[in-house]
Amino acid sequence: MKKTVEELLLIKNTQLNHDNFRLDLKSSTKLPQIFPGQFVNVEIKKSTEIFLRRPFSVLDVDYENNTFSLLVKILGRGSNVLTTYQAGDKISVIYPLGSSFSIPGKDEKVLLIGGGSGVAPMLFLAKICGLDPQNVHVLLGARSKQDHVDITAYKHVGNFYHTTEDGSLGEKGFVTHHPVFKSELTAFDRIYTCGPDLMMKAVAKEAAKNQVSCEVSLENMMACGFGVCLCCVEKTIEGNQCVCTDGPVFNINKLTW
Amino acid sequence: MVDLSIRIKDLVFKNPVLTASGTCGFGEEIADFVDLSKLGGVVMKGTTLKPRQGNDYPRMAETPSGMLNAVGLQNKGVDNFEKNIYPNIKDIDSQFIVNVNGSTIEEYVELTERINALDKIPAIELNISCPNVKEGGMAFGVSCPSAEAVVRAVRKVYDKPLIVKLSPNVTDITEIARAVEGQGADAVSLVNTFLGMAVDANSRKPVLSTITGGLSGPAIKPIALRMVWQVYNSVKIPIVGMGGIMNATDAIEFMIAGASAVQVGTAIFIDPTIPVQIVDGINNYLELNKIQNASDLVGCLQI
């Protein structure tokens, strides 16, 4: 898919909880096809402190209206300023970027594990993977109930499970403590995960041990997003590779974790 | 109609805007965004004889109006370039220049010979200024004797235009420029990145795996501009100016200060269409100011 630099119209900025926002962006032309796991690199112009674009994975796409949405969690000064944008503002993005999650076979059973803003590509994947919702299991982890991102539009796409570190929603503990992960892991054909590094590494370790195929989406810091700055590299069995072009989605058998 | 073309030795560039090494891959990486044939030239990613993995992650830190990088010349080596890159770029209507790197003079020479054999590579940029490698790189570019030695050796095996990329991390950049001119360099390009550093106050650790890295972006523009002007007043060979150029006005300022051509680097990370926008912007500026030739701008600073 051809990558472009485009000025998009922000049509809606919705606060989802204390630090997560959903930004709906509209293109004046036909949207390129965007696959789950791919990302867009967003220019943030309202602050002189911010020089580089910020990458965000896509939460949902509506080709009929040429809109897509991003889940923006406030992590630093870039995301913080981006959440102050209002409907009507123009936002320059470079997109679509990076690799996507593999699409499962039609009778496969999949487990999608999202943590923090990593829930965005998991929900998008769950929605368009083409599986019977019975075979789609989505496990979302958060620190506590107030950190959980509740996206009601996605309720029908699969079976949902939650963990929180303080037990305020779902099972208490990390995603790897949840029964669906602990006792049923080998029942899944594929595991997909996106979220904090430590979480993904813990998931990947168990998946590898149980020989279940596992894909992770990495978030290494990058300057360009299209494979020229060579800053976002991850060590792989084939040497250093760019997260922005060889990833962000990697099968764990390619990584040196 | 204005004439945007510029010349380095006998090599004609259709306009003065080149992309800087390490910011546009081998051109192909930005071909989705721009028509490469609209560029004066493309200086490709720094190449070495053998593949290099570069430095460990993290390699980048955002800084006020700029960024630090510590990539460390990651590249797949000259064999890969000849086999997998050169066939794709050789017929594109622009000047594709190889940025040549080595840890020793022998490596620079051997790589130059390999590149010399490629008909469609019209020039090399000899990189004696990479701040992110342990051996070679900037070590050659910070003293006159070592800069002279590597340029002298490379000059012997290379007849096409030889551009030497200078480091700003020196006491007097004009000395180095004169030294490489004395050994037969056809042009100098300046500046490479400034050695810098970022610290994470929370973890009390360096941000970069290498502790120090190279600073680029608008933060360095005034210093780069000053160095171009100083070198312009010190040598007779053409200067390719760079350092924080983000738009046509920046590029024009470099030309007024003495640059015959410019390279656009870090700006590409923000928007890969910027180099072509700069070509259009220079054209408009010349028309508006009724200047016939882009080369008339070079060094026209009125004091």
Side-chain angles (χ1 to χ4, degrees), chain A residues 127-146:
Chain A
K127 184 185 163 188
I128 74 154
C129 68
L131 295 182
D132 184 332
Q134 275 188 7
N135 288 332
V136 179
H137 298 259
V138 185
L139 173 56
L140 302 178
R143 210 163 280 146
S144 72
K145 192 180 175 184
Q146 57 159 358

Side-chain angles (χ1 to χ4, degrees), chain A residues 66-131:
Chain A
N66 292 312
T67 63
F68 66 89
S69 48
L70 305 176
L71 180 64
V72 178
K73 181 184 168 69
I74 297 178
L75 284 173
R77 53 179 191 257
S79 47
N80 193 17
V81 172
L82 184 58
T83 60
T84 67
Y85 275 68
Q86 299 295 319
D89 285 343
K90 293 279 179 64
I91 298 182
S92 165
V93 305
I94 303 181
Y95 77 128
L97 299 173
S99 63
S100 55
F101 291 104
S102 62
I103 298 296
K106 75 175 174 49
D107 294 319
E108 289 186 341
K109 189 176 170 187
V110 299
L111 177 62
L112 291 76
I113 305 172
S117 51
V119 304
M122 292 296 102
L123 293 171
F124 185 29
L125 176 62
K127 184 185 163 188
I128 74 154
C129 68
L131 295 182

Side-chain angles (χ1 to χ4, degrees), chain B:
Chain B
M1 257 311 253
V2 296
D3 181 3
L4 285 174
S5 70
I6 63 106
R7 193 179 278 266
I8 289 177
K9 204 180 176 187
D10 51 359
L11 181 62
V12 178
F13 296 81
K14 66 175 79 171
N15 64 61
V17 182
L18 287 71
T19 55
S21 182
T23 64
C24 60
F26 295 92
E28 303 168 298
E29 292 86 340
I30 60 167
D32 267 7
F33 306 104
V34 291
D35 176 356
L36 296 171
S37 72
K38 289 193 169 159
L39 295 168
V42 173
V43 187
M44 295 176 282
K45 172 67 191 165
T47 297
T48 48
L49 271 179
K50 298 274 178 272
R52 284 180 61 99
Q53 283 298 317
N55 295 318
D56 283 346
Y57 180 86
R59 294 175 171 185
M60 191 272 286
E62 186 180 48
T63 58
S65 295
M67 59 175 279
L68 289 161
N69 90 80
V71 172
L73 288 175
Q74 179 179 329
N75 80 99
K76 291 180 177 165
V78 70
D79 290 348
N80 178 71
F81 177 76
E82 288 170 345
K83 197 166 149 231
N84 300 319
I85 311 283
Y86 181 64
N88 304 335
I89 55 146
K90 69 184 177 55
D91 296 320
I92 300 173
D93 179 23
S94 186
Q95 307 291 9
F96 279 72
I97 295 171
V98 174
N99 179 278
V100 168
N101 293 270
S103 306
T104 62
I105 290 180
E106 292 72 26
E107 282 181 17
Y108 276 105
V109 169
E110 192 180 338
L111 179 54
T112 300
E113 287 174 324
R114 294 276 293 270
I115 302 301
N116 195 26
L118 305 174
D119 289 343
K120 299 285 179 72
I121 302 296
I124 60 169
E125 182 177 66
L126 193 68
N127 188 353
I128 55 167
S129 47
C130 175
N132 294 321
V133 290
K134 287 200 184 94
E135 290 171 341
M138 195 171 87
F140 283 106
V142 293
S143 90
C144 290
S146 58
E148 281 168 348
V150 65
V151 174
R152 186 186 310 129
V154 166
R155 181 76 282 178
K156 277 185 195 149
V157 299
Y158 196 71
D159 294 327
K160 297 184 226 177
L162 169 61
I163 305 164
V164 181
K165 187 167 182 178
L166 304 185
S167 173
N169 301 300
V170 292
T171 310
D172 180 1
I173 196 167
T174 65
E175 276 183 6
I176 311 284
R178 279 193 300 271
V180 303
E181 180 185 39
Q183 297 304 320
D186 297 305
V188 282
S189 55
L190 58 131
V191 293
N192 205 321
T193 54
F194 286 80
L195 202 57
M197 181 170 164
V199 172
D200 182 334
N202 292 318
S203 66
R204 296 174 207 159
K205 289 180 175 170
V207 177
L208 301 173
S209 70
T210 47
I211 305 177
T212 61
L215 180 66
S216 64
I220 68 166
K221 196 192 103 179
I223 321 179
L225 199 57
R226 180 263 295 176
M227 289 183 166
V228 164
W229 178 71
Q230 287 179 320
V231 170
Y232 179 73
N233 288 305
S234 308
V235 298
K236 293 191 177 66
I237 52 177
I239 296 164
V240 182
M242 81 195 91
I245 294 175
M246 297 297 286
N247 52 48
T249 307
D250 292 340
I252 290 161
E253 290 168 17
F254 271 84
M255 293 181 75
I256 292 169
S260 293
V262 296
Q263 289 180 16
V264 183
T266 304
I268 293 173
F269 301 159
I270 316 287
D271 182 347
T273 68
I274 285 177
V276 171
Q277 290 178 36
I278 291 178
V279 176
D280 295 339
I282 294 174
N283 188 73
N284 293 344
Y285 175 89
L286 294 176
E287 280 180 356
L288 200 67
N289 290 281
K290 298 191 170 49
I291 301 169
Q292 275 302 305
N293 305 303
S295 54
D296 294 342
L297 266 186
V298 179
C300 72
L301 185 71
Q302 295 173 21
I303 299 173

Side-chain angles (χ1 to χ4, degrees), chain A residues 10-11 20 22-23 27 32 39 103 122 153 158 164 174 185 232 242 250 252:
Chain A
L10 178 64
I11 52 172
N20 278 281
R22 175 187 169 132
L23 267 54
S27 169
F39 65 99
I103 298 296
M122 292 296 102
T164 46
F174 298 119
L185 201 58
C232 62
C242 285
F250 290 92
I252 56 165

